[in-house]
Coordinates of all heavy atoms in Angstrom, one line a residue:
M1 N -60.5 -8.3 -1.9 CA -59.9 -9.6 -1.9 C -59.4 -9.9 -0.4 O -59.0 -9.0 0.3 CB -58.7 -9.6 -2.8 CG -57.9 -10.9 -2.8 SD -56.7 -10.8 -4.1 CE -56.4 -12.5 -4.1
R2 N -59.5 -11.2 0.0 CA -59.1 -11.5 1.3 C -57.6 -11.7 1.3 O -57.0 -12.4 0.5 CB -59.7 -12.8 1.8 CG -59.4 -13.2 3.2 CD -60.3 -14.2 3.8 NE -61.7 -13.8 3.9 CZ -62.2 -13.0 4.8 NH1 -61.4 -12.5 5.7 NH2 -63.5 -12.7 4.8
C3 N -56.9 -11.0 2.3 CA -55.4 -11.2 2.4 C -55.1 -11.9 3.7 O -54.0 -12.4 3.8 CB -54.8 -9.8 2.3 SG -55.0 -8.8 3.8
H4 N -56.0 -12.0 4.6 CA -55.8 -12.7 5.9 C -57.2 -13.0 6.4 O -58.2 -12.4 5.9 CB -55.1 -11.7 6.8 CG -54.6 -12.3 8.1 ND1 -55.4 -12.3 9.2 CD2 -53.4 -12.9 8.4 CE1 -54.7 -12.9 10.2 NE2 -53.5 -13.2 9.7
R5 N -57.3 -13.9 7.3 CA -58.6 -14.3 7.8 C -59.3 -13.2 8.5 O -60.6 -13.2 8.6 CB -58.5 -15.5 8.7 CG -57.8 -15.2 10.0 CD -57.8 -16.4 10.9 NE -57.1 -16.1 12.2 CZ -56.9 -16.9 13.1 NH1 -57.3 -18.2 13.0 NH2 -56.3 -16.5 14.2
S6 N -58.6 -12.1 8.9 CA -59.2 -11.0 9.5 C -59.2 -9.7 8.6 O -59.6 -8.7 9.1 CB -58.5 -10.7 10.8 OG -57.2 -10.3 10.6
C7 N -58.8 -9.8 7.4 CA -58.6 -8.6 6.6 C -59.1 -8.8 5.1 O -58.8 -9.8 4.5 CB -57.2 -8.2 6.5 SG -56.4 -7.7 8.0
L8 N -59.9 -7.9 4.6 CA -60.2 -7.8 3.2 C -59.6 -6.5 2.7 O -59.6 -5.5 3.4 CB -61.8 -7.7 3.1 CG -62.5 -9.0 3.4 CD1 -64.0 -8.7 3.3 CD2 -62.2 -10.1 2.5
V9 N -59.1 -6.5 1.5 CA -58.6 -5.3 0.9 C -59.1 -5.1 -0.5 O -59.5 -6.0 -1.2 CB -57.0 -5.4 0.8 CG1 -56.4 -5.5 2.2 CG2 -56.5 -6.5 0.0
N10 N -59.0 -3.8 -0.9 CA -59.3 -3.4 -2.3 C -58.0 -3.3 -3.0 O -57.1 -2.5 -2.5 CB -60.0 -2.1 -2.3 CG -60.4 -1.6 -3.6 OD1 -59.8 -2.0 -4.6 ND2 -61.5 -0.8 -3.7
L11 N -57.8 -4.1 -4.0 CA -56.4 -4.2 -4.6 C -56.0 -2.8 -5.3 O -54.9 -2.6 -5.5 CB -56.4 -5.3 -5.7 CG -56.5 -6.7 -5.2 CD1 -56.6 -7.7 -6.3 CD2 -55.4 -7.0 -4.2
R12 N -57.0 -2.0 -5.5 CA -56.7 -0.7 -6.1 C -55.9 0.2 -5.1 O -55.3 1.2 -5.5 CB -57.9 0.1 -6.5 CG -58.6 -0.6 -7.7 CD -59.9 0.1 -8.0 NE -60.6 -0.6 -9.0 CZ -61.8 -0.2 -9.5 NH1 -62.3 0.9 -9.0 NH2 -62.4 -0.9 -10.4
H13 N -56.0 -0.1 -3.8 CA -55.4 0.7 -2.8 C -54.1 0.1 -2.2 O -53.5 0.6 -1.3 CB -56.3 0.9 -1.6 CG -57.6 1.7 -2.0 ND1 -57.5 3.1 -2.2 CD2 -58.8 1.3 -2.4 CE1 -58.7 3.5 -2.6 NE2 -59.5 2.4 -2.7
V14 N -53.6 -1.1 -2.8 CA -52.4 -1.7 -2.4 C -51.2 -1.0 -3.1 O -51.2 -0.9 -4.3 CB -52.4 -3.2 -2.7 CG1 -51.1 -3.9 -2.4 CG2 -53.6 -3.9 -1.9
R15 N -50.3 -0.6 -2.3 CA -49.1 0.0 -2.8 C -48.0 -1.0 -3.1 O -47.3 -1.0 -4.1 CB -48.5 1.1 -1.9 CG -47.4 1.9 -2.5 CD -46.9 3.0 -1.6 NE -48.0 3.9 -1.2 CZ -47.9 4.8 -0.2 NH1 -46.8 4.8 0.5 NH2 -48.9 5.6 0.0
S16 N -47.7 -1.9 -2.1 CA -46.7 -3.0 -2.3 C -46.9 -4.1 -1.4 O -47.7 -4.1 -0.5 CB -45.3 -2.3 -2.1 OG -45.2 -1.9 -0.8
L17 N -46.2 -5.2 -1.7 CA -46.2 -6.4 -0.9 C -44.8 -6.6 -0.4 O -43.8 -6.7 -1.2 CB -46.7 -7.6 -1.8 CG -46.6 -9.0 -1.1 CD1 -47.6 -9.1 0.0 CD2 -46.9 -10.1 -2.2
H18 N -44.6 -6.8 0.9 CA -43.3 -6.9 1.5 C -43.1 -8.3 2.1 O -44.0 -8.7 2.8 CB -43.0 -5.8 2.5 CG -42.8 -4.5 1.9 ND1 -41.6 -4.1 1.3 CD2 -43.6 -3.4 1.8 CE1 -41.7 -2.9 0.9 NE2 -42.9 -2.5 1.2
A19 N -42.0 -8.9 2.0 CA -41.7 -10.2 2.7 C -40.8 -9.8 3.9 O -39.9 -9.0 3.8 CB -40.9 -11.1 1.7
A20 N -41.2 -10.4 5.0 CA -40.4 -10.3 6.2 C -39.8 -11.6 6.6 O -40.0 -12.6 5.9 CB -41.3 -9.7 7.3
S21 N -39.1 -11.7 7.7 CA -38.5 -12.9 8.1 C -39.6 -13.9 8.5 O -40.7 -13.6 8.9 CB -37.6 -12.7 9.3 OG -38.3 -12.2 10.4
G22 N -39.2 -15.2 8.4 CA -40.1 -16.3 8.8 C -41.3 -16.5 7.9 O -42.4 -16.8 8.4
S23 N -41.2 -16.2 6.7 CA -42.3 -16.4 5.7 C -43.5 -15.5 6.0 O -44.6 -15.9 5.8 CB -42.6 -17.8 5.4 OG -43.3 -18.3 6.5
R24 N -43.3 -14.4 6.5 CA -44.4 -13.4 6.8 C -44.4 -12.4 5.7 O -43.4 -11.9 5.3 CB -44.2 -12.8 8.2 CG -44.3 -13.7 9.3 CD -44.2 -13.0 10.6 NE -44.2 -14.0 11.7 CZ -45.3 -14.1 12.5 NH1 -46.3 -13.3 12.4 NH2 -45.3 -15.0 13.5
Y25 N -45.6 -12.0 5.3 CA -45.8 -11.0 4.3 C -46.7 -9.9 4.8 O -47.6 -10.2 5.6 CB -46.4 -11.6 3.0 CG -45.4 -12.5 2.3 CD1 -45.2 -13.8 2.6 CD2 -44.7 -12.0 1.2 CE1 -44.3 -14.6 2.0 CE2 -43.8 -12.8 0.5 CZ -43.6 -14.1 0.9 OH -42.7 -14.9 0.2
W26 N -46.5 -8.7 4.3 CA -47.3 -7.5 4.6 C -47.7 -6.8 3.4 O -46.9 -6.6 2.5 CB -46.5 -6.6 5.6 CG -46.1 -7.3 6.8 CD1 -45.0 -8.0 7.1 CD2 -46.9 -7.3 8.0 NE1 -45.0 -8.5 8.3 CE2 -46.1 -8.1 9.0 CE3 -48.1 -6.8 8.4 CZ2 -46.6 -8.3 10.2 CZ3 -48.6 -7.1 9.7 CH2 -47.8 -7.8 10.6
L27 N -48.9 -6.2 3.4 CA -49.3 -5.3 2.3 C -49.1 -3.9 2.8 O -49.5 -3.6 4.0 CB -50.8 -5.5 2.0 CG -51.1 -6.8 1.2 CD1 -52.6 -6.8 1.0 CD2 -50.4 -6.8 -0.2
V28 N -48.6 -3.0 2.0 CA -48.6 -1.6 2.4 C -49.7 -0.9 1.5 O -49.7 -1.0 0.3 CB -47.2 -1.0 2.1 CG1 -47.2 0.5 2.4 CG2 -46.1 -1.7 2.9
M29 N -50.6 -0.3 2.2 CA -51.7 0.4 1.6 C -51.4 1.8 1.2 O -50.4 2.4 1.6 CB -52.9 0.3 2.5 CG -53.3 -1.1 3.0 SD -53.6 -2.2 1.6 CE -55.1 -1.6 1.0
A30 N -52.2 2.4 0.3 CA -51.9 3.8 -0.1 C -51.9 4.8 1.0 O -51.2 5.8 0.9 CB -53.0 4.2 -1.2
N31 N -52.6 4.5 2.1 CA -52.7 5.4 3.2 C -51.5 5.1 4.2 O -51.5 5.8 5.3 CB -54.0 5.4 3.9 CG -54.3 4.0 4.6 OD1 -53.5 3.1 4.5 ND2 -55.4 3.9 5.2
G32 N -50.6 4.2 3.9 CA -49.5 3.9 4.7 C -49.7 2.8 5.7 O -48.8 2.3 6.4
K33 N -50.9 2.3 5.8 CA -51.2 1.2 6.8 C -50.6 -0.1 6.3 O -50.5 -0.3 5.1 CB -52.7 1.0 6.9 CG -53.2 0.9 8.3 CD -54.7 0.8 8.3 CE -55.1 0.9 9.7 NZ -56.5 0.7 9.9
E34 N -50.1 -0.9 7.2 CA -49.6 -2.3 6.8 C -50.6 -3.3 7.3 O -51.0 -3.3 8.5 CB -48.2 -2.5 7.5 CG -47.2 -1.5 6.9 CD -45.8 -1.8 7.5 OE1 -45.7 -2.6 8.5 OE2 -44.9 -1.2 7.0
L35 N -50.9 -4.3 6.4 CA -51.8 -5.4 6.8 C -51.1 -6.7 6.6 O -50.4 -6.9 5.6 CB -53.0 -5.3 5.9 CG -53.9 -4.0 6.0 CD1 -55.0 -4.0 4.9 CD2 -54.5 -3.9 7.3
P36 N -51.4 -7.7 7.4 CA -50.7 -9.0 7.3 C -51.4 -9.7 6.1 O -52.5 -9.5 5.8 CB -51.1 -9.7 8.6 CG -52.4 -9.0 9.0 CD -52.3 -7.6 8.6
V37 N -50.5 -10.6 5.5 CA -51.0 -11.5 4.5 C -50.8 -12.9 5.0 O -49.7 -13.3 5.4 CB -50.2 -11.3 3.2 CG1 -50.7 -12.3 2.1 CG2 -50.4 -9.9 2.7
G38 N -51.9 -13.7 5.1 CA -51.8 -15.1 5.5 C -51.1 -16.0 4.6 O -51.1 -15.7 3.3
R39 N -50.4 -17.0 5.1 CA -49.6 -17.9 4.2 C -50.5 -18.5 3.1 O -50.0 -18.7 2.0 CB -49.0 -19.0 5.1 CG -47.9 -18.5 5.9 CD -47.2 -19.7 6.6 NE -48.2 -20.6 7.3 CZ -48.3 -20.6 8.6 NH1 -47.5 -19.9 9.4 NH2 -49.2 -21.4 9.2
A40 N -51.7 -18.8 3.4 CA -52.6 -19.4 2.4 C -53.0 -18.4 1.3 O -53.5 -18.8 0.3 CB -53.9 -19.9 3.1
H41 N -52.8 -17.1 1.5 CA -53.2 -16.1 0.6 C -52.0 -15.5 -0.2 O -52.3 -14.7 -1.1 CB -54.0 -15.0 1.3 CG -55.2 -15.5 2.0 ND1 -56.3 -15.9 1.4 CD2 -55.4 -15.7 3.3 CE1 -57.2 -16.3 2.3 NE2 -56.6 -16.2 3.5
V42 N -50.8 -15.8 0.1 CA -49.6 -15.2 -0.5 C -49.6 -15.4 -2.0 O -49.4 -14.5 -2.8 CB -48.3 -15.6 0.2 CG1 -47.1 -15.2 -0.6 CG2 -48.2 -15.2 1.6
A43 N -49.7 -16.7 -2.5 CA -49.6 -17.0 -3.9 C -50.7 -16.2 -4.7 O -50.4 -15.6 -5.7 CB -49.7 -18.5 -4.1
T44 N -51.9 -16.2 -4.2 CA -53.0 -15.5 -4.9 C -52.8 -14.0 -4.9 O -53.0 -13.4 -5.9 CB -54.4 -15.8 -4.2 OG1 -54.5 -17.2 -4.1 CG2 -55.5 -15.2 -4.9
M45 N -52.3 -13.5 -3.8 CA -52.0 -12.1 -3.7 C -50.9 -11.7 -4.7 O -51.1 -10.7 -5.4 CB -51.6 -11.7 -2.3 CG -51.6 -10.2 -2.0 SD -53.1 -9.3 -2.2 CE -54.2 -10.1 -1.0
R46 N -49.9 -12.4 -4.8 CA -48.8 -12.2 -5.7 C -49.3 -12.2 -7.2 O -49.0 -11.4 -8.0 CB -47.6 -13.1 -5.6 CG -46.9 -12.9 -4.3 CD -45.8 -14.0 -4.1 NE -44.8 -13.9 -5.1 CZ -43.7 -13.2 -5.0 NH1 -43.4 -12.6 -3.9 NH2 -42.8 -13.2 -6.1
R47 N -50.1 -13.2 -7.5 CA -50.7 -13.3 -8.8 C -51.6 -12.1 -9.1 O -51.5 -11.6 -10.2 CB -51.5 -14.6 -8.9 CG -52.0 -14.9 -10.3 CD -52.6 -16.4 -10.4 NE -53.5 -16.7 -9.4 CZ -53.3 -17.6 -8.4 NH1 -52.1 -18.2 -8.3 NH2 -54.1 -17.9 -7.5
E48 N -52.5 -11.7 -8.2 CA -53.4 -10.6 -8.5 C -52.7 -9.3 -8.6 O -53.1 -8.4 -9.3 CB -54.4 -10.5 -7.3 CG -55.4 -11.7 -7.3 CD -56.3 -11.7 -8.6 OE1 -56.7 -10.6 -9.1 OE2 -56.6 -12.8 -9.1
L49 N -51.5 -9.2 -7.9 CA -50.8 -7.9 -8.0 C -49.7 -8.0 -9.1 O -48.9 -7.1 -9.3 CB -50.1 -7.6 -6.7 CG -51.0 -7.3 -5.5 CD1 -50.2 -7.3 -4.2 CD2 -51.8 -6.1 -5.7
A50 N -49.7 -9.1 -9.9 CA -48.8 -9.3 -11.0 C -47.4 -9.2 -10.6 O -46.5 -8.6 -11.3 CB -49.1 -8.3 -12.1
L51 N -47.1 -9.9 -9.5 CA -45.7 -9.9 -9.0 C -45.0 -11.2 -9.3 O -43.9 -11.5 -8.8 CB -45.7 -9.7 -7.4 CG -46.2 -8.3 -7.0 CD1 -46.3 -8.2 -5.5 CD2 -45.3 -7.2 -7.6
G52 N -45.6 -12.1 -10.0 CA -45.0 -13.3 -10.4 C -45.4 -14.5 -9.8 O -45.9 -15.1 -9.1

Side-chain angles (χ1 to χ4, degrees):
M1 174 173 200
R2 184 162 300 281
C3 69
H4 190 270
R5 67 180 180 181
S6 63
C7 298
L8 291 173
V9 296
N10 183 334
L11 293 177
R12 294 179 186 177
H13 298 282
V14 174
R15 189 180 298 166
S16 61
L17 175 68
H18 288 283
S21 63
S23 72
R24 293 183 184 251
Y25 288 84
W26 298 91
L27 287 177
V28 178
M29 305 303 290
N31 64 359
K33 227 178 187 184
E34 294 183 349
L35 300 173
V37 178
R39 288 187 307 252
H41 302 285
V42 171
T44 304
M45 190 61 61
R46 290 175 63 94
R47 185 172 48 252
E48 290 296 321
L49 294 172
L51 297 174

